[in-house]
Amino acid sequence: MKPLKCILISLLIIMLPLSVGAGDIFADVSEGDWYCSCVSEMTELGALKGYPDGTFRPNNSISKSELISITARLQGLKPGQSASSHWAAGLMKAALDAGWYDWDEAPPTGESYDEPISRQLAVKIIMNAFAPDARGDYNTESAKMADFSELDGRYYNAVLAAYSIGVAGGDDKGKFNPKSNLSRAEACALISRAMGKSAFTPVPAGPEETKPGPIAISGGVSENGRLCVEGVDLVNEKGEPVVLRGMSTHGIQWFPQFLSREVIKSTADRGANLFRVAMYTAEGGYLQNPGVKDTLINAVDTAIELDMYVIIDWHILSDGNPMTHINEAREFFAEMSQKYGDNPAVLYEICNEPNGAVNWSGDVKPYAEEIIGVIRQNAPEAIVLVGSPTWSQDLHEAAKAPLTAENVMYTCHFYAGTHTGWLRDRITSARAQGLAVFVSEWGVSDASGGGRVYADEARVWLDFMRKNNISWANWSLCDKAESSAAIRPGANIRDGIDDSELTESGRLVFSSF
């Protein structure tokens, strides 16, 4: 016998007469309601069932399991195998395997399946299901959202695409309300529109990329010496364009084994001339465990010994405002710049990914001015890398009020499954305004570090960076069980890294140095 919850669930497939309208079935849906036609359409498709009292309750929130189940059934997905006993577990697993959503958005254990779904996650799922190839121009579509700053970065691609083809839109105040619950009526409207847009017309390409610059040198420190910023380019001591390409560690408090000489040498032997050491400030990192600094120093010294350039990364993430720990950052960079001040191999990344309620002019810029001043006391010519709000993507804000210090580059972080042409357009625009851009972190996955490997989009990015002589570090050199990791889980890397120990991501990236 089925559980009572399954009997009463509001979004189950049933077959209904195709000629019956919602206004004739549901007591609380009238012909004049804005959602009547889409509710009728879903009813005619056999996709909706009301409550036992004959109501549809259009303003009630729809849950993750309800929205994903109806979408999965409409697309003909077969239930997958799941350890969860939740009524929707099989279809949830099928949708997860199809790449419609990521495991952390609705973990397969099922505890969050019945939670109301947010508008941004709902749009992501619906677009992945019905219009996965749709794209939206960043500048055009983001301008339509009065509250675009509230949208999480991992949903940019889907929401911009949905706006561009008419699947999603704002309220009467121009707001998308990305983190608000989605109502049952709104879910019907989104699905109905998306189903009608399957054969959409792609959005025209954004502004042309800058023309390829001169071929850049990619050698090590012995070949290039001290680097400096000239215009928007990184150049060597002879004034020749240089591109740094390499790997970033994951959090060194979790994966110290990947900072061994054997692992770093294996990376260098593949052609990398850059090694980024990600020292988290929180999450068991430097602020809680200052001894992790010694792990960083050992890695920096090893990379220098192997003729590589190396980034000392003050990796803020959960503590998203760099001003929160500016005193600790001041002390740390004073020590590091004193230790490595005369060494041309060392670059300083002073705020990995500012995020949350931060802005460029009020938070990040004054922080950068302070920390750059500290570094300059000991390392007057060193390259300093500066992040920007929204996980180092708001280059356009930095371009409005750039730093006046020399040898400064602005970092941009991207993940191929989340950040596409709109962010490349933003880099192009920032460079046109005089900002030197350094991609100090990027991955082949989506912004969570997981999901599938977006190899085609990653190659588009690699080609873009090559044409524009943009330096980069890939995330990440570790064996974490996620698609952005370069090393297979459990690989024996004590004697270095061989081809069989690389993941799909690792093979793609290691062949691109």
Side-chain angles (χ1 to χ4, degrees):
M1 182 176 180
K2 291 184 179 179
L4 181 61
K5 185 172 184 179
C6 293
I7 296 174
L8 298 180
I9 197 71
S10 59
L11 286 174
L12 293 177
I13 296 295
I14 61 170
M15 297 308 297
L16 294 172
L18 296 182
S19 60
V20 179
D24 298 318
I25 296 178
F26 302 122
D28 54 351
V29 177
S30 302
E31 294 299 327
D33 294 331
W34 69 266
Y35 46 80
C36 182
S37 62
C38 59
V39 172
S40 295
E41 181 182 3
M42 293 295 100
T43 303
E44 290 172 1
L45 289 171
L48 294 183
K49 181 180 180 181
Y51 289 87
D53 63 0
T55 62
F56 175 63
R57 304 181 191 178
N59 296 319
N60 282 16
S61 295
I62 189 170
S63 71
K64 296 176 183 179
S65 57
E66 290 170 339
L67 182 123
I68 290 174
S69 293
I70 188 174
T71 304
R73 288 191 173 106
L74 286 169
Q75 285 296 71
L77 289 190
K78 302 298 183 183
Q81 294 295 321
S82 174
S84 172
S85 60
H86 190 278
W87 67 268
L91 288 177
M92 295 292 286
K93 181 62 165 58
L96 177 63
D97 291 344
W100 293 358
Y101 69 98
D102 297 308
W103 71 270
D104 62 310
E105 293 168 313
T109 49
E111 288 89 345
S112 70
Y113 285 0
D114 293 325
E115 292 178 353
I117 195 168
S118 69
R119 294 170 60 83
Q120 60 185 2
L121 175 56
V123 167
K124 173 182 174 178
I125 291 165
I126 290 169
M127 292 299 291
N128 281 337
F130 295 105
D133 296 323
R135 294 291 182 268
D137 176 69
Y138 175 86
N139 293 323
T140 301
E141 305 307 326
S142 66
K144 298 176 182 177
M145 285 175 257
D147 56 350
F148 179 74
S149 62
E150 297 178 18
L151 183 69
D152 288 337
R154 69 194 299 182
Y155 301 106
Y156 281 4
N157 188 38
V159 174
L160 293 173
Y163 263 72
S164 73
I165 64 172
V167 170
D171 61 17
D172 56 358
K173 296 180 181 178
K175 293 185 175 183
F176 175 62
N177 302 307
K179 297 177 183 177
S180 297
N181 297 343
L182 186 74
S183 73
R184 290 159 54 81
E186 290 171 331
C188 287
L190 288 173
I191 293 171
S192 176
R193 293 172 195 154
M195 291 178 67
K197 297 291 183 178
S198 296
F200 65 91
T201 301
V203 176
E208 293 185 2
E209 299 172 0
T210 56
K211 295 180 179 179
I215 297 175
I217 297 170
S218 57
V221 182
S222 61
E223 180 178 351
N224 291 298
R226 186 174 296 282
L227 307 178
C228 68
V229 177
E230 187 174 291
V232 297
D233 295 319
L234 189 63
V235 302
N236 65 14
E237 60 187 14
K238 298 177 184 178
E240 300 166 325
V242 171
V243 170
L244 305 184
R245 301 184 183 97
M247 295 301 298
S248 173
T249 70
H250 204 298
I252 60 176
Q253 76 273 32
W254 297 312
F255 299 97
Q257 68 271 35
F258 290 91
L259 283 73
S260 70
R261 188 181 191 282
E262 291 75 20
V263 170
I264 299 175
K265 185 177 186 301
S266 291
T267 308
D269 289 345
R270 303 290 182 119
N273 60 354
L274 175 68
F275 195 75
R276 179 182 187 241
V277 186
M279 188 190 74
Y280 277 63
T281 56
E283 300 177 65
Y286 177 75
L287 297 176
Q288 293 85 33
N289 177 22
V292 76
K293 177 180 63 179
D294 295 332
T295 305
L296 175 141
I297 290 172
N298 289 336
V300 171
D301 290 346
T302 300
I304 292 171
E305 176 195 343
L306 294 169
D307 199 35
M308 302 178 81
Y309 289 93
V310 59
I311 296 173
I312 295 176
D313 168 33
W314 181 257
H315 201 88
I316 66 167
L317 192 61
S318 59
D319 48 352
N321 191 329
M323 294 295 286
T324 302
H325 297 291
I326 188 171
N327 293 332
E328 294 89 342
R330 186 187 296 113
E331 179 181 353
F332 173 79
F333 282 108
E335 180 181 354
M336 292 299 104
S337 61
Q338 184 176 38
K339 181 175 180 61
Y340 296 109
D342 294 328
N343 197 309
V346 178
L347 295 76
Y348 302 89
E349 186 168 2
I350 63 176
C351 49
N352 166 59
E353 289 185 351
N355 64 84
V358 300
N359 62 70
W360 171 257
S361 296
D363 301 303
V364 183
K365 184 179 181 181
Y367 167 87
E369 290 171 335
E370 175 73 15
I371 301 303
I372 290 171
V374 170
I375 293 171
R376 288 288 179 254
Q377 292 179 27
N378 300 308
E381 298 179 319
I383 302 295
V384 178
L385 307 178
V386 182
S388 62
T390 315
W391 296 278
S392 287
Q393 293 161 32
D394 286 353
L395 295 167
H396 59 301
E397 297 299 329
K400 295 175 185 177
L403 296 158
T404 58
E406 295 183 352
N407 286 340
V408 167
M409 304 187 78
Y410 299 80
T411 63
C412 183
H413 292 181
F414 73 84
Y415 284 81
T418 301
H419 311 109
T420 54
W422 64 266
L423 189 53
R424 291 190 290 274
D425 292 343
R426 186 176 286 187
I427 293 174
T428 299
S429 177
R431 283 165 55 87
Q433 296 176 72
L435 264 61
V437 177
F438 193 117
V439 175
S440 60
E441 180 180 317
W442 72 275
V444 303
S445 64
D446 63 36
S448 71
R452 65 180 176 87
V453 171
Y454 294 81
D456 290 342
E457 186 65 26
R459 291 188 182 98
V460 172
W461 270 106
L462 284 164
D463 187 59
F464 171 80
M465 293 188 288
R466 179 185 58 79
K467 289 179 178 178
N468 291 282
N469 289 342
I470 294 175
S471 297
W472 54 260
N474 176 259
W475 185 270
S476 64
L477 190 62
C478 76
D479 65 349
K480 186 177 181 181
E482 61 182 14
S483 54
S484 59
I487 311 301
R488 295 171 65 87
N492 179 8
I493 45 85
R494 288 191 295 272
D495 57 350
I497 303 168
D498 61 40
D499 289 346
S500 67
E501 292 165 332
L502 294 173
T503 61
E504 182 181 356
S505 171
R507 292 192 298 272
L508 189 156
V509 174
F510 274 52
S511 66
S512 302
F513 294 143

